[in-house]
Amino acid sequence: MPLSRHINADEIIEKSKDHPHRKHSSSFNISQHQSWFRDEEGAGVPKYTIPESGINSKAAYQLIHDETLLDGNPTLNLASFVHTWMPVEGEKLIMENINKNAVDLDEYPATQIIHNRCISMIADLWKAPKDSKVIGTATCGSSEAIMLGGLAMKKNWQEKRKAAGKDYFHPNIVFGANAQVALEKFARYWDVEARLVPVRAHTDFVMDPKDALQFIDEDTIGVIVIFGSTYTGHFEDVKQMSDLLDDLHSRTGLDIPIHVDAASGGFFAPFAYPNHQWAFDVPRVQSINASGHKFGLVYAGLGWVLWKDENMLHKDLIFELHYLGSTEYSFTLNFSKPAYPILAQMFNFLNLGMDGYTRISRKSLRNARLLSRALEHTYFHVLSHIHRPANGSSLMEKVKETVQQIEDQVEGSDDPTSYKMGLPVVSFRFKDEIKEQYPHLQQGWIQAMLRTKGWIVPNYNAPKNEEKTELLRVVVRESLSGDLVERLIVDILDITDALTSETDTSIMMGSATAYRGIHQPDKEHGRPDSGNFGAAKGVEKMGQSGWAKQC
């Protein structure tokens, strides 16, 4: 594996190995020894081809175990929304059911009943009308759920266009430029034109519903409203979008549905902001997706998608199955999928209840406010706003914020509705005066130097039209305790102090510039070469507006 144009690591390693005479090496026999020789067991195991003869299970485990020690610490991975901790009992339940396939409904009927109960619980959480027949399913994540929600809108639109004798070959879908890459994937994979609504700093890097109207026409299959932006944690206004579409319908006859991408907000807002209207209590909301493995507090591998009524899930997406022992119905993209994430979700629902989820959401917001205030009082401007009081004039906001900080010290006084709404996400950048005073200072150095301390905090560009703005972002999950937040604050400030110090600047600059993450040449295996997947000659390559990096 080449490290550069002049060095091949594989050749160097091979030349550096001891090569004893065969007569000595052949006498080695592990079975004669009590201890285990991991190097001898793993010697000669190929890296990129399946070995002709296997090694024992202990050796195979240890080789992989040791290599994964090079991964980051999941608790300190503050780049990700994905949950990284569950109680021992939850993990025990997972291991007891890790060999079950959720699609085998006849073989595992109890699992299917639990799945259906989850759907009912989530429908109630998302305020589905009592007279509607909600339908939904577990998925492998929100990406699959978004695909299904988008496909349902596309099929419904096509059916209406066919019935009216109109063209049904040029659908489009509208969403903000702050969308996670899964939304663009849906559009590209399923031949739907993506109409991205520009976002601006003054709209908090999320879509303003009023700006979306100009992108809507008779070929629009729906609008996706992002309820929990991955950039800053802000919520887009679902209710306002619905009201504007009602007005558009009364003026033009265009009847446009809404799909809510609540990948992060779907299991957070109902507990932190229970009275906020965003879900099935908003008339034009047809479907909602959420990630169980984010603020649903389950390990990675679980999403949910629900439709307000089964007539909104187009019949073309439903398949009847007969070969697994009974007649069942499937409307997912994946067929086989593990059962344990569904059971883990039910475990959390029963173990935490409404009160437990509420306490966790409040704790996460409280820790996010602590981090936000500490950063804002030093070198940084905080772009997320969950630490700022709701409503009020600028003067009153300052007074109220001071009072609220004092009240936060008293248990039970930290009501999230006293502040502006959002996810427990802290997005921040250098203050303008800091950038002017230290023009050499690169914000990416903070990310690099934090990584040397174990923290994973991404530095990335804002969405299209604001891409010159760089953001550092911390996702405050349940596992990030108040003590760890304090440690993070100290490390961020220590690093920034050093980078702005005349005596330490050259050393820190050198370290930060040299650090590019752990060099892993093996990552080139299975990774596409960008030169091989461009557009064909004479064909314009499709552009990409969003990036997956921020997730």
Side-chain angles (χ1 to χ4, degrees):
M1 181 61 60
L3 298 179
S4 70
R5 294 180 181 178
H6 308 295
I7 301 174
N8 186 299
D10 292 339
E11 292 181 1
I12 295 295
I13 292 170
E14 191 61 31
K15 290 178 181 178
S16 303
K17 288 180 179 178
D18 286 333
H19 292 281
H21 295 295
R22 184 175 298 274
K23 63 180 181 179
H24 297 300
S25 60
S26 61
S27 63
F28 177 79
N29 189 339
I30 286 181
S31 62
Q32 297 173 356
H33 302 272
Q34 294 292 327
S35 60
W36 173 63
F37 294 82
R38 76 177 67 183
D39 284 343
E40 284 77 6
E41 282 279 357
V45 175
K47 288 186 174 65
Y48 309 116
T49 58
I50 298 175
E52 290 297 326
S53 298
I55 58 178
N56 72 53
S57 57
K58 183 178 181 181
Y61 163 81
Q62 198 67 42
L63 285 172
I64 299 170
H65 169 82
D66 290 351
E67 192 161 343
T68 57
L69 293 176
L70 296 171
D71 283 338
N73 184 329
T75 300
L76 304 184
N77 178 11
L78 309 183
S80 177
F81 286 85
V82 176
H83 194 61
T84 59
W85 178 87
M86 285 190 72
V88 172
E89 294 79 9
E91 293 183 337
K92 181 180 179 182
L93 185 66
I94 288 171
M95 294 310 299
E96 289 173 353
N97 293 277
I98 200 165
N99 56 354
K100 289 183 181 177
N101 188 351
V103 79
D104 293 343
L105 309 182
D106 194 57
E107 288 81 351
Y108 307 120
T111 296
Q112 180 60 19
I113 291 171
I114 291 172
H115 170 275
N116 294 344
R117 286 167 56 198
C118 283
I119 295 294
S120 296
M121 291 178 177
I122 297 170
D124 180 69
L125 183 70
W126 292 346
K127 302 179 181 178
K130 299 301 181 183
D131 58 347
S132 66
K133 189 173 182 181
V134 174
I135 191 169
T137 183
T139 62
C140 290
S142 271
S143 292
E144 181 187 2
I146 286 168
M147 301 287 172
L148 293 169
L151 279 171
M153 290 195 294
K154 179 182 178 182
K155 289 291 185 179
N156 290 333
W157 172 84
Q158 287 178 324
E159 187 174 79
K160 291 178 182 178
R161 298 287 288 181
K162 289 176 184 178
K166 296 181 178 180
D167 171 83
Y168 57 90
F169 298 107
H170 301 91
N172 67 70
I173 192 165
V174 176
F175 50 82
N178 56 306
Q180 204 266 354
V181 72
L183 277 67
E184 284 197 75
K185 280 186 175 182
F186 160 74
R188 190 184 297 186
Y189 290 175
W190 305 106
D191 295 321
V192 177
E193 177 193 353
R195 294 187 173 179
L196 273 65
V197 182
V199 301
R200 302 291 182 186
H202 71 267
T203 66
D204 296 322
F205 303 101
V206 296
M207 178 182 74
D208 184 332
K210 296 186 292 294
D211 293 339
L213 293 179
Q214 61 185 300
F215 294 91
I216 296 171
D217 58 26
E218 65 177 359
D219 292 324
T220 301
I221 65 173
V223 177
I224 298 181
V225 182
I226 301 167
F227 196 63
S229 172
T230 55
Y231 285 90
T232 57
H234 289 97
F235 296 147
E236 292 181 350
D237 196 329
V238 182
K239 180 64 166 60
Q240 184 185 14
M241 189 75 257
S242 180
D243 291 343
L244 290 171
L245 291 174
D246 283 343
D247 177 68
L248 181 69
H249 182 237
S250 66
R251 291 186 289 105
T252 65
L254 294 177
D255 191 9
I256 309 297
I258 292 175
H259 173 85
V260 179
D261 174 18
S264 297
F267 285 114
F268 189 84
F271 307 107
Y273 314 104
N275 297 321
H276 181 62
Q277 276 190 283
W278 67 273
F280 288 134
D281 53 342
V282 176
R284 287 195 172 271
V285 173
Q286 172 177 295
S287 52
I288 303 172
N289 72 271
S291 293
H293 60 229
K294 292 179 182 174
F295 292 103
L297 309 182
V298 174
Y299 288 139
L302 181 66
W304 298 96
V305 58
L306 274 66
W307 289 266
K308 185 183 293 185
D309 196 276
E310 64 178 10
N311 61 23
M312 296 174 179
L313 175 61
H314 197 275
K315 62 182 183 297
D316 284 355
L317 299 182
I318 303 173
F319 288 81
E320 192 172 293
L321 311 175
H322 296 279
Y323 58 88
L324 291 178
S326 64
T327 299
E328 301 295 347
Y329 300 93
S330 173
F331 46 93
T332 56
L333 297 181
N334 280 358
F335 191 64
S336 292
K337 61 175 176 280
Y340 71 82
I342 299 167
L343 304 177
Q345 185 74 83
M346 179 59 78
F347 170 84
N348 280 342
F349 287 164
L350 299 179
N351 179 49
L352 294 172
M354 296 291 290
D355 177 67
Y357 272 104
T358 300
R359 283 187 285 104
I360 289 170
S361 67
R362 289 191 171 203
K363 184 202 78 168
S364 298
L365 285 168
R366 182 168 60 247
N367 287 336
R369 289 196 297 270
L370 169 63
L371 176 59
S372 298
R373 291 166 184 155
L375 294 172
E376 204 154 62
H377 290 157
T378 56
Y379 301 96
F380 301 96
H381 170 61
V382 178
L383 299 162
S384 47
H385 63 196
I386 45 86
H387 63 297
R388 298 192 175 95
N391 305 320
S393 63
S394 57
L395 177 60
M396 288 303 297
E397 282 184 3
K398 292 180 180 179
V399 174
K400 189 173 181 180
E401 182 175 358
T402 301
V403 173
Q404 195 68 50
Q405 289 181 37
I406 296 172
E407 291 180 346
D408 272 3
Q409 307 305 313
V410 182
E411 184 178 358
S413 66
D414 54 343
D415 182 1
T417 60
S418 299
Y419 301 89
K420 293 184 176 180
M421 290 187 299
L423 299 173
V425 169
V426 181
S427 296
F428 56 104
R429 62 172 178 82
F430 283 132
K431 290 177 177 177
D432 291 337
E433 54 266 35
I434 296 297
K435 292 191 286 186
E436 292 173 4
Q437 186 175 355
Y438 304 98
H440 66 280
L441 196 59
Q442 295 183 31
Q443 197 164 281
W445 294 348
I446 303 292
Q447 171 185 339
M449 297 310 298
L450 281 173
R451 188 62 186 264
T452 65
K453 293 176 177 286
W455 303 105
I456 302 175
V457 176
N459 181 71
Y460 56 92
N461 299 97
K464 191 175 181 180
N465 297 316
E466 293 286 350
E467 58 266 33
K468 290 184 179 179
T469 301
E470 286 185 81
L471 312 174
L472 288 156
R473 189 201 64 195
V474 170
V475 180
V476 181
R477 302 190 307 274
E478 178 193 10
S479 54
L480 189 67
S481 65
D483 181 64
L484 282 176
V485 170
E486 293 178 12
R487 182 68 258 174
L488 175 63
I489 292 169
V490 170
D491 285 343
I492 291 174
L493 297 184
D494 279 350
I495 288 169
T496 311
D497 280 342
L499 287 171
T500 55
S501 168
E502 290 186 7
T503 56
D504 294 338
T505 296
S506 59
I507 298 174
M508 293 292 287
M509 283 176 62
S511 300
T513 304
Y515 183 81
R516 302 294 184 188
I518 299 172
H519 180 65
Q520 301 178 52
D522 288 6
K523 291 175 73 173
E524 300 304 318
H525 280 254
R527 185 174 183 170
D529 185 336
S530 60
N532 293 331
F533 58 87
K537 188 175 182 180
V539 178
E540 184 178 357
K541 182 180 179 181
M542 294 183 70
Q544 180 177 334
S545 300
W547 308 95
K549 179 181 178 182
Q550 71 270 18
C551 303

